[in-house]
Amino acid sequence: MSAMSKKLIQNLAETLSKHVKHFCVKSVFCGVRFNKTEAECLIRLYNTLLGDQAERKVGTGLDRSTFRNILHNTFGLTDDMMMDRVFRSFDKDNDSYIGVKEWLEGLAVFLRGTLEEKIKYCFDVYDLNGDGYISREEMFHMLKDSLIRQPTEEDPDEGVKDLVEITLKKMDYDHDNRLSYADFEKAVRDENLLLEAFGTCLPDAKSIQAFEQHAFQDTLEHRFT
Amino acid sequence: MGVALARAAQWTSASSGACRLELTRVNEALLRDVVRFVEQFSARHPREAKLVFKEPLRWKTSLRASDFTTEYDISGSCVQSRDSDGDGRPLLQLTPPHVSVCCFDQLTRLLQLANDRKLKEVRACLEANRDPVVQMLGPTFAMVEGEDSSTLRLLDRLKEDSQSGEVEVEVRLLLILQQLDTQLLSSSLQQLAQEVSLSPAAVRRDVELLKRLCAGPEKALKSVDYTSDSAGYEFSNGCRSPPSSQVHGEIASLLIEPCDSEPLFITCSTAGVFLNAGVQQEAEEKACDRRSDVHKDLVSLLKTKSRHFAKSINKQDFVVQEEPPTTLEPHVEAVDVEAASQTLRLHEHQEKNALKKARQQPAPNKSGSEKKLEPSLKWKNLGLQSPHEVAEEKKARKSGGERATESQRKSPRSESKVKASRSPLPGRLSSSKIKTSGGGTGTEDFSASSSESDGDEESERRGESHTDLPSDYWQIQKLVKYLKVGNQTATVIALCSMRDFNLAQEACQLAIRDVGGLEVLINLLDTDQIKCKIGSLKILKEISQSSQIRRAIADLGGLQTMVLILDSPDKELKCLAAETIANVARFKRARRTVRQSGGIKRLVELLACVPGDRSVTSDRERDVEVARCGALALWSCSKSSRNKEAIRKAGAIPLLARLLKVPQTNMLIPVVGTLQECASQRSYRVAIQTEGMIKDLVKNLNCDNQELQMHCASAIFKCAEDKQTRDLVRKYDGLRPLVVLLTQASNKQLLSATTGAIWKCSISMENVAKFEEYKALEMLVGLLTDQPEEVLVNVVGALGECAQRPGNRATIRKSGGIPPLVGLLTGTNRALLVNVTRAVGACAADPESMTIIDRLDGVRLLWSLLKNPNPDVQASAAWAICPCIENAKDAGEMVRSFVGGLELIVRLLKSENKEVLASVCAAIANIAKDEENLAVITDHGVVPMLAVLTNTTDDQLRRYLAEAVAHCCTWGSNCVAFGEAGAVAPLVLYLHSKDPAVHRATAQALFQLSRHPNNCITMHQSGVVKPLIDMMGSSDKILQEAAAGCVGNIRRLALANDKARYG
């Protein structure tokens, strides 16, 4: 990379950072989840990630593969489909890039969301076609790899189908053979373990801690040196 | 020195009764250090040496009165020091074989007197006082593992009363002792380190053992021999190598022929065992060249060199085990292995393996079985031993007794002999290893915790008959399958779905167990997925309500995993784990497992979760919840006495005290439950009082939860044995709520606890006054009928105490309490009988009540209780008889009417129990007031029997004995008979007693005895006059009169004598 382009990135990052800082201080939402320094740290991290991105498009943000890398390496998510869904959930404007605002908003839920926010987030992740319901088919799709296939079984999908039935029995309160948001929320409030009923889409406590430590501390050091 | 004593010193296992210090080098060095410390103490720290201990140190001494110098008051075999503490107790008191010492000054002197028996004395002292600091400075300074706040506490007290120097001296003494502690620890560490290298004795043992293995059809080796240069001569240090090689640390060289390979030339040196080049080279100085790796002992070397040997030695173990223990001495080996395990505890970390190997290896054929017998922590705790080990264990337990007697027979300082006689008996060895090396708690063997109460040993079989398997069963089986094959997501779904079944139902619980669900659930606890752990624990918590499931969980090693989960940062997880432990630990083995896997400490740490400040409420709520679950688990665990100790040592008491102040009932119940469970131990009772918990307990008596009230009352019941506690209960106004609780007669458990608390509180007369005010007596009398025995015992006990105040006797009579009380005399419950006799006796002091008792034939019933085999009942009945005789009309006639009654009571003078003797003497004194009866008991030989007892030192017995003597003198030639039976001289000694009641009774007896000239002469010779003259100046009129009368009699005799002589 030439010295020229390096400088360009730097400038860009700075302006972006300024822009977002402005937005941040104003934003009530960031003030609640992250304090100013933390928000700055996250933005700085975002910029670093953006800088590392091989093929970047100015002003658009993190692309899918970079984001998936973060999800996989930093937050310990493994399932391909789930990572895709998480990306979509972060990418509110559906432009296939995560802008800095989306980054912050997403992380706010991801790292420090309330139960309610997480329920909403998870439901969005699981609602594959975005029609406001998790259907039988969607469940099957998400659960199909959750059981180790026994070669001896006649119908390898039988177990998964049964699992879907079990889930519906447990969570479908209005008996319409699909989960509405209300169903989902009620079930999760009843039993928190069901929050990630159809696949891991939130980081566990350990990786959250590691990430926060890394993100907030590194930048602090960066600042004072 | 507490820590050093507990950790470094090597104790025998508790199975042989009292713990003793082993005869090991470490212990000897330790004792020597202590001796040196004590000897120099007086000189170095004169102020601290004068500090009087809270409790004297008592032990069985070998010193006799003759060993003491003139500095001490010596009377007969007893010795007292001239100095005494504030209350007039002598600082040193010897009543063979026991000695009690109250300060370091006296300890130092005692050691000087002991000369060459110093070590023995110190050993006996330390054996009798495992934690001497408690004795010296009071139970608040009991050894606590981990954080020890005793010094800080002392400092606080120092601040509180800076005027009096005593606390300062206490602090200094404590610091000195702690210094000694560290010193002892470090020096014993050095000792242990020295013992690690190979010694000539170990080599010889190995060789002897290997030689034995050469015999028989399945021999492991062809031959074992010393090489020519080693065979002939054994040097005095045990080495066989020529001195030139000994310089290099060589001990001996061997020629061993294995069955499957070339002969091996082996050198044994202090550094280890290795192959050498062999003698065929003929260049003898080259012979010790090393040709192989150095092994730690012969067996491990042979195992690498000869496969046949390795194979057969594994078999050998079990062959040799079958041999009965005949000529060999298992004692020493047990010492050895125990020493090893204790060493482990000392440097638990890195040295663990090296040390263990080095210390245990010398017994060769054990190492062969090492793989099989090495008990992993889990294995042992699971209780999954194979049958032959269980048998071994039994054998080992049996041998505990033998061991003890053997060690007693042996002279204490035969160390060389001990070393020499270490002959290995493999079966024994490996069994004692199993016993001792499981985890950090080595010496806890299985037999020791047998006395624990265990409310949960209900029978295994229950509901085995699920004849028609319901659909639930298949459903559960399917879910368990998903648990097995599913990833995290599927597992969580299956777990959640499983929770929808009615897990409280036995069918479901057993279904989960039968389809192998428990294994899966417990395995899930080992994963690192929090959700799975939470889900699994939620189910385990529910199903562990069933006793069968509890056992299964413990068998599968679930407790150990759950204990580890307690360290998790996730609070929900901690809570669930603690709650499940609380459920599972309802039977003894599980409680032991929790303790041995380090659970107690972790559970106690959970209690610390409550932060002092008011942080974010939801966070705080969760912390409180964690603490609550921890308390629940501790409550379950606290039912074992060893756990109580462990809980205390983990520093739980201050934490419990803090939690006692929270308002939540659901928290208070487990906290108070734990406290009341533990209050059976003295250290807890002291702590409950000193940490100010009585106030909170009393406060909670007023709550509206019956369970909590019950636990509070029960805690007070156990603690109120102590006077200060009783006063505190009164001070915090706890007596009124107790009386109010008496109205809750339908809840028997609560009633039992309440009446118990009232009973113990009524031992203080001030409290009785309060109870009168609250009209408690009438209510108690009302509870005399139709109540379970445990309530009756307490009610009657309370009435007995209350009736010590004269006014209350009338109250009891008026509210109709006498007939039911007399009716209870026909019972069989020992505790109840003791209390009833006491109550009836107290009531009998009231003449009107006495008429009722007499009419109901109560005295006959009391008298027949003298036949009860239990000495407590005998004594209590005899005490009760005394006021009956005093107050009954025509008592003499009444007593005579009991056929064989007088003979019975005289025969009780042969009892061994002091209390029985004292009570019977008191009764005899009363009986003897009637002349006819006195004649009868004289015929039954009361005089010589009383005379035999006169040598006692027990003040209570002395008093009543003297009374009995005084009354018996009035008949016939009894007076002379006492003199002839040698009762007079010992009686004179009673005048030196400190108890004024003894003085009075003795003076009366002496007065009666002095009617006969011979007795006067004996008295005079025993130096009676001076103390009697002192007593004539007493303010007690009866004493005055009796003393004067006696002196008068003696004087008259002297005058008559003079008159006769000089006319």
Side-chain angles (χ1 to χ4, degrees):
Chain A
M1 225 178 270
S2 65
M4 183 65 188
S5 61
K6 258 188 194 167
K7 199 170 180 193
L8 205 78
I9 296 168
Q10 217 165 16
N11 279 341
L12 183 79
E14 266 165 30
T15 44
L16 233 166
S17 156
K18 260 181 210 158
H19 169 73
V20 176
K21 213 183 283 172
H22 180 64
F23 145 80
C24 221
V25 174
K26 269 190 185 169
S27 161
V28 181
F29 142 77
C30 281
V32 173
R33 294 286 171 263
F34 304 115
N35 62 29
K36 200 176 156 200
T37 355
E38 285 169 344
E40 277 175 25
C41 289
L42 289 177
I43 293 166
R44 212 176 284 274
L45 181 69
Y46 174 84
N47 290 338
T48 325
L49 291 167
L50 207 58
D52 292 345
Q53 212 161 288
E55 140 218 358
R56 76 206 124 70
K57 287 183 184 155
V58 177
T60 42
L62 296 176
D63 65 14
R64 191 178 287 259
S65 75
T66 317
F67 187 71
R68 278 180 57 153
N69 271 342
I70 303 168
L71 287 182
H72 190 273
N73 298 334
T74 315
F75 293 114
L77 301 190
T78 46
D79 189 82
D80 276 340
M81 183 177 57
M82 278 304 144
M83 286 199 278
D84 247 13
R85 294 298 307 162
V86 173
F87 179 80
R88 275 170 196 267
S89 141
F90 266 63
D91 181 20
K92 294 239 164 34
D93 56 6
N94 278 326
D95 64 349
S96 295
Y97 290 97
I98 290 175
V100 73
K101 182 166 178 263
E102 288 167 345
W103 166 255
L104 279 174
E105 281 177 347
L107 280 184
V109 177
F110 219 50
L111 301 175
R112 301 184 179 178
T114 61
L115 181 62
E116 190 162 354
E117 284 167 350
K118 283 183 181 168
I119 295 175
K120 180 87 187 71
Y121 161 83
C122 287
F123 188 80
D124 285 346
V125 169
Y126 297 144
D127 181 10
L128 299 180
N129 57 8
D131 66 348
Y133 291 98
I134 305 174
S135 66
R136 226 180 250 275
E137 292 69 35
E138 283 169 330
M139 286 185 207
F140 183 83
H141 192 60
M142 291 185 282
L143 292 177
K144 68 173 185 286
D145 294 326
S146 68
L147 296 176
I148 300 168
R149 301 284 164 100
Q150 309 272 327
T152 51
E153 268 173 81
E154 290 161 17
D155 180 4
D157 287 340
E158 195 194 317
V160 181
K161 278 180 191 156
D162 190 35
L163 216 50
V164 171
E165 291 313 314
I166 290 172
T167 323
L168 271 177
K169 191 179 152 210
K170 182 145 182 68
M171 301 175 81
D172 181 21
Y173 288 92
D174 51 12
H175 303 293
D176 58 355
N177 285 324
R178 55 184 187 173
L179 295 187
S180 62
Y181 178 71
D183 283 335
F184 188 73
E185 188 187 7
K186 189 159 187 287
V188 175
R189 287 203 186 276
D190 203 41
E191 171 56 88
N192 287 340
L193 291 179
L194 289 173
L195 180 62
E196 295 174 79
F198 304 106
T200 313
C201 57
L202 284 168
D204 60 6
K206 225 187 273 171
S207 39
I208 289 181
Q209 207 190 356
F211 172 78
E212 290 195 353
Q213 206 173 2
H214 168 78
F216 298 151
Q217 203 167 351
D218 273 9
T219 347
L220 271 181
E221 276 168 21
H222 182 70
R223 241 200 200 163
F224 291 116
T225 44
Chain B
M1 56 221 260
V3 181
L5 280 180
R7 297 241 177 105
Q10 298 164 353
W11 299 93
T12 56
S13 56
S15 59
S16 53
C19 283
R20 295 182 57 84
L21 275 170
E22 294 286 2
L23 290 166
T24 59
R25 244 194 288 171
V26 179
N27 278 350
E28 202 178 311
L30 199 128
L31 288 178
R32 279 189 199 289
D33 281 341
V34 176
V35 169
R36 205 172 309 129
F37 170 78
V38 177
E39 276 182 325
Q40 295 166 353
F41 196 92
S42 262
R44 284 201 185 166
H45 314 284
R47 267 184 76 199
E48 288 76 24
K50 295 268 188 281
L51 184 79
V52 179
F53 298 160
K54 291 277 182 297
E55 293 273 323
L57 294 171
R58 275 199 191 85
W59 70 94
K60 263 192 175 166
T61 178
S62 62
L63 294 177
R64 295 286 165 264
S66 54
D67 296 318
F68 285 82
T69 54
T70 47
E71 284 172 63
Y72 295 88
D73 285 331
I74 302 172
S75 55
S77 58
C78 304
V79 178
Q80 290 188 349
S81 65
R82 295 252 162 90
D83 307 316
S84 56
D85 64 4
D87 310 328
R89 274 187 305 170
L91 291 177
L92 179 144
Q93 197 163 17
L94 173 82
T95 47
H98 293 280
V99 67
S100 59
V101 179
C102 278
C103 72
F104 261 109
D105 204 21
Q106 292 293 341
L107 274 180
T108 310
R109 282 197 224 170
L110 186 125
L111 281 192
Q112 281 160 2
L113 293 170
N115 287 326
D116 56 337
R117 279 174 289 172
K118 279 172 194 164
L119 273 188
K120 213 173 156 191
E121 287 302 309
V122 171
R123 178 175 163 205
C125 175
L126 292 180
E127 277 169 2
N129 306 283
R130 289 289 291 268
D131 198 354
V133 185
V134 176
Q135 244 86 17
M136 294 173 186
L137 296 171
T140 35
F141 297 97
M143 179 180 48
V144 173
E145 258 164 42
E147 195 184 356
D148 184 359
S149 58
S150 56
T151 329
L152 295 176
R153 203 171 303 150
L154 253 185
L155 274 177
D156 286 346
R157 277 181 56 198
L158 187 61
K159 232 181 270 167
E160 274 170 35
D161 58 349
S162 47
Q163 293 94 334
S164 84
E166 184 164 332
V167 182
E168 193 195 324
V169 179
E170 272 180 29
V171 176
R172 295 178 58 116
L173 181 59
L174 184 72
L175 291 179
I176 294 169
L177 289 174
Q178 283 179 346
Q179 239 171 349
L180 171 69
D181 210 357
T182 5
Q183 202 185 319
L184 289 179
L185 273 177
S186 62
S187 65
S188 50
L189 196 67
Q190 282 173 0
Q191 277 284 339
L192 286 171
Q194 278 173 14
E195 288 190 16
V196 173
S197 65
L198 209 55
S199 69
V203 170
R204 191 174 55 223
R205 259 182 313 114
D206 278 13
V207 172
E208 275 165 21
L209 187 100
L210 290 176
K211 278 184 176 164
R212 290 211 339 232
L213 295 182
C214 297
E218 287 182 45
K219 58 186 180 181
L221 297 166
K222 268 189 195 154
S223 72
V224 178
D225 254 312
Y226 291 105
T227 51
S228 53
D229 61 332
S230 294
Y233 183 68
E234 186 180 329
F235 290 89
S236 59
N237 59 3
C239 295
R240 284 166 177 270
S241 295
S244 58
S245 315
Q246 279 184 36
V247 180
H248 303 292
E250 205 173 295
I251 295 166
S253 50
L254 294 169
L255 173 64
I256 296 182
E257 270 186 276
C259 296
D260 55 352
S261 66
E262 292 291 293
L264 303 169
F265 295 92
I266 295 173
T267 302
C268 305
S269 78
T270 48
V273 180
F274 51 86
L275 290 183
N276 62 33
V279 279
Q280 69 267 43
Q281 271 190 332
E282 292 301 325
E284 52 268 46
E285 74 275 2
K286 288 282 165 202
C288 64
D289 276 359
R290 196 148 65 82
R291 284 284 180 88
S292 75
D293 289 340
V294 178
H295 289 261
K296 53 195 182 290
D297 69 1
L298 275 172
V299 175
S300 52
L301 180 127
L302 285 174
K303 269 166 77 182
T304 59
K305 294 296 166 199
S306 160
R307 196 169 292 165
H308 174 79
F309 176 77
K311 236 194 294 171
S312 63
I313 196 151
N314 282 342
K315 267 184 274 164
Q316 199 78 26
D317 248 357
F318 298 97
V319 180
V320 184
Q321 267 165 31
E322 254 63 81
E323 283 180 13
T326 47
T327 55
L328 305 161
E329 282 179 283
H331 166 63
V332 185
E333 288 151 22
V335 172
D336 215 1
V337 179
E338 251 163 39
S341 78
Q342 257 148 348
T343 325
L344 285 187
R345 258 185 289 162
L346 200 57
H347 355 228
E348 224 144 9
H349 327 292
Q350 52 315 44
E351 283 176 88
K352 188 162 182 167
N353 285 324
L355 255 181
K356 189 164 150 190
K357 291 272 160 57
R359 294 282 290 133
Q360 293 184 341
Q361 217 59 10
N365 54 358
K366 184 213 69 211
S367 64
S369 67
E370 205 154 50
K371 272 195 199 85
K372 277 179 219 141
L373 289 179
E374 188 85 9
S376 82
L377 186 61
K378 203 161 178 179
W379 192 46
K380 178 194 165 192
N381 290 336
L382 278 175
L384 291 179
Q385 292 129 330
S386 58
H388 84 267
E389 283 158 355
V390 176
E392 269 174 40
E393 220 176 279
K394 279 187 196 140
K395 225 199 279 175
R397 235 185 277 170
K398 242 189 284 161
S399 76
E402 295 166 30
R403 230 192 279 160
T405 46
E406 259 173 43
S407 69
Q408 275 162 5
R409 247 182 281 139
K410 223 175 277 172
S411 106
R413 245 171 290 168
S414 59
E415 240 230 331
S416 56
K417 192 178 150 208
V418 170
K419 278 244 160 348
S421 63
R422 281 191 201 180
S423 49
L425 177 70
R428 217 32 99 64
L429 187 50
S430 45
S431 76
S432 56
K433 184 163 151 246
I434 287 176
K435 199 168 71 179
T436 53
S437 61
T441 44
T443 46
E444 290 186 21
D445 60 349
F446 293 93
S447 59
S449 53
S450 57
S451 65
E452 294 159 1
S453 68
D454 197 334
D456 198 54
E457 305 282 9
E458 52 207 84
S459 68
E460 266 297 298
R461 64 135 266 109
R462 216 154 43 95
E464 290 292 331
S465 56
H466 18 248
T467 40
D468 56 327
L469 292 167
S471 65
D472 281 1
Y473 183 89
W474 303 113
Q475 201 66 29
I476 286 174
Q477 190 178 35
K478 204 167 61 182
L479 288 175
V480 169
K481 195 185 95 192
Y482 295 146
L483 286 184
K484 282 182 192 161
V485 299
N487 68 0
Q488 185 184 0
T489 309
T491 306
V492 169
I493 293 176
L495 286 172
C496 291
S497 168
M498 203 181 267
R499 288 196 63 211
D500 286 343
F501 288 94
N502 184 1
L503 294 175
Q505 214 174 40
E506 197 177 29
C508 286
Q509 296 164 351
L510 297 182
I512 292 177
R513 187 189 68 174
D514 294 346
V515 300
L518 278 180
E519 286 89 336
V520 184
L521 288 172
I522 287 171
N523 277 342
L524 281 177
L525 299 181
D526 276 324
T527 62
D528 55 356
Q529 287 162 338
I530 289 190
K531 288 190 175 223
C532 294
K533 289 196 209 178
I534 290 180
S536 162
L537 278 174
K538 277 181 173 170
I539 294 171
L540 286 173
K541 186 182 105 183
E542 297 294 326
I543 60 177
S544 56
Q545 302 288 352
S546 140
S547 72
Q548 298 184 54
I549 299 287
R550 287 201 280 271
R551 271 161 209 285
I553 292 176
D555 288 342
L556 291 167
L559 281 168
Q560 286 89 336
T561 320
M562 285 189 263
V563 165
L564 290 179
I565 289 179
L566 294 177
D567 286 338
S568 148
D570 189 287
K571 284 173 185 161
E572 189 182 4
L573 204 51
K574 275 195 214 184
C575 284
L576 286 167
E579 275 183 291
T580 315
I581 290 176
N583 282 342
V584 176
R586 290 203 202 144
F587 64 101
K588 196 165 70 190
R589 183 159 51 82
R591 291 196 284 264
R592 191 176 61 214
T593 309
V594 174
R595 179 181 69 240
Q596 287 173 344
S597 49
I600 301 287
K601 210 167 174 225
R602 291 185 171 92
L603 288 171
V604 170
E605 275 162 15
L606 295 191
L607 299 184
C609 277
V610 178
D613 60 326
R614 293 229 163 79
S615 50
V616 191
T617 43
S618 70
D619 231 28
R620 189 178 146 76
E621 257 169 40
R622 223 170 294 150
D623 280 336
V624 171
E625 181 64 12
V626 169
R628 187 184 75 85
C629 297
L632 268 177
L634 283 176
W635 185 17
S636 287
C637 291
S638 66
K639 293 191 171 68
S640 303
S641 59
R642 269 166 192 267
N643 280 356
K644 290 175 192 170
E645 194 64 10
I647 293 172
R648 185 179 64 79
K649 283 186 177 167
I653 293 176
L655 297 173
L656 288 171
R658 204 168 63 190
L659 289 178
L660 205 50
K661 301 200 186 300
V662 301
Q664 294 94 330
T665 311
N666 65 350
M667 166 75 97
L668 287 169
I669 289 176
V671 168
V672 181
T674 312
L675 282 173
Q676 70 92 9
E677 198 66 60
C678 292
S680 58
Q681 293 204 335
R682 184 163 177 277
S683 47
Y684 275 92
R685 294 199 290 270
V686 172
I688 288 173
Q689 191 199 316
T690 52
E691 300 271 350
M693 291 189 244
I694 298 290
K695 187 177 179 187
D696 299 303
L697 290 175
V698 166
K699 190 182 78 196
N700 287 319
L701 279 179
N702 292 313
C703 72
D704 52 4
N705 182 303
Q706 289 205 344
E707 194 183 357
L708 181 54
Q709 286 173 323
M710 177 187 82
H711 292 312
C712 287
S714 169
I716 294 175
F717 176 21
K718 287 177 180 163
C719 293
E721 293 274 0
D722 181 82
K723 182 173 181 317
Q724 260 173 304
T725 305
R726 293 196 291 269
D727 292 342
L728 283 174
V729 173
R730 184 179 65 252
K731 188 178 146 203
Y732 296 125
D733 204 17
L735 302 175
R736 187 195 295 272
L738 281 176
V739 175
V740 170
L741 282 179
L742 285 179
T743 52
Q744 308 281 355
S746 54
N747 184 339
K748 295 302 173 197
Q749 277 181 311
L750 175 60
L751 192 61
S752 165
T754 312
T755 48
I758 291 182
W759 170 22
K760 292 301 173 186
C761 284
S762 60
I763 295 173
S764 287
M765 282 302 128
E766 296 94 329
N767 289 352
V768 175
K770 285 275 177 193
F771 284 134
E772 279 170 37
E773 194 182 304
Y774 303 142
K775 305 259 177 271
L777 268 99
E778 287 84 344
M779 298 171 83
L780 285 172
V781 168
L783 292 173
L784 278 174
T785 42
D786 297 334
Q787 296 296 341
E789 256 178 7
E790 58 267 26
V791 175
L792 281 176
V793 170
N794 297 340
V795 170
V796 174
L799 286 175
E801 293 304 333
C802 290
Q804 303 300 319
R805 267 168 76 101
N808 289 336
R809 294 170 197 151
T811 317
I812 294 175
R813 169 168 45 83
K814 279 179 196 148
S815 45
I818 307 277
L821 276 177
V822 173
L824 288 175
L825 282 173
T826 53
T828 50
N829 182 319
R830 189 188 57 78
L832 182 56
L833 282 177
V834 169
N835 285 352
V836 173
T837 44
R838 182 170 164 80
V840 171
C843 290
D846 174 50
E848 282 182 60
S849 305
M850 186 57 221
T851 0
I852 304 177
I853 295 174
D854 199 11
R855 199 174 61 226
L856 295 168
D857 215 9
V859 187
R860 183 187 297 279
L861 290 173
L862 280 176
W863 213 287
S864 58
L865 284 178
L866 291 176
K867 286 187 221 157
N868 192 298
N870 186 292
D872 291 339
V873 178
Q874 289 173 355
S876 185
W879 285 124
I881 286 172
C882 299
C884 290
I885 298 176
E886 271 174 56
N887 291 306
K889 282 180 208 140
D890 206 8
E893 189 54 43
M894 177 183 77
V895 171
R896 270 191 297 285
S897 71
F898 304 142
V899 178
L902 290 171
E903 191 184 352
L904 173 68
I905 205 162
V906 171
R907 222 174 26 227
L908 278 181
L909 283 175
K910 286 182 188 149
S911 167
E912 310 243 297
N913 185 304
K914 290 226 170 91
E915 185 74 19
V916 173
L917 290 175
S919 59
V920 169
C921 284
I924 285 179
N926 279 308
I927 292 169
K929 286 175 189 164
D930 182 274
E931 216 170 53
E932 259 182 77
N933 289 336
L934 176 55
V936 177
I937 58 174
T938 308
D939 284 347
H940 288 307
V942 76
V943 173
M945 289 171 100
L946 287 177
V948 167
L949 295 175
T950 48
N951 277 321
T952 179
T953 53
D954 182 80
D955 269 347
Q956 195 193 15
L957 177 54
R958 280 175 163 188
R959 172 184 167 188
Y960 293 105
L961 181 60
E963 271 180 22
V965 170
H967 284 102
C968 288
C969 274
T970 50
W971 174 255
S973 59
N974 282 358
C975 196
V976 188
F978 275 120
E980 283 164 1
V984 178
L987 272 176
V988 173
L989 278 181
Y990 291 10
L991 293 177
H992 297 289
S993 153
K994 292 201 170 62
D995 185 353
V998 176
H999 295 166
R1000 183 205 281 196
T1002 310
Q1004 280 173 308
L1006 289 174
F1007 173 52
Q1008 293 296 338
L1009 288 168
S1010 67
R1011 290 175 198 278
H1012 195 274
N1014 280 345
N1015 292 345
C1016 285
I1017 295 168
T1018 321
M1019 282 180 215
H1020 192 258
Q1021 281 168 348
S1022 317
V1024 79
V1025 179
K1026 188 168 178 306
L1028 277 183
I1029 288 178
D1030 289 345
M1031 279 167 200
M1032 280 158 67
S1034 152
S1035 54
D1036 180 352
K1037 278 214 174 125
I1038 300 174
L1039 175 58
Q1040 258 179 28
E1041 210 170 306
C1046 183
V1047 172
N1049 282 342
I1050 295 173
R1051 185 70 200 137
R1052 260 194 291 282
L1053 179 66
L1055 281 175
N1057 193 22
D1058 282 351
K1059 216 174 189 176
R1061 197 177 295 171
Y1062 306 112

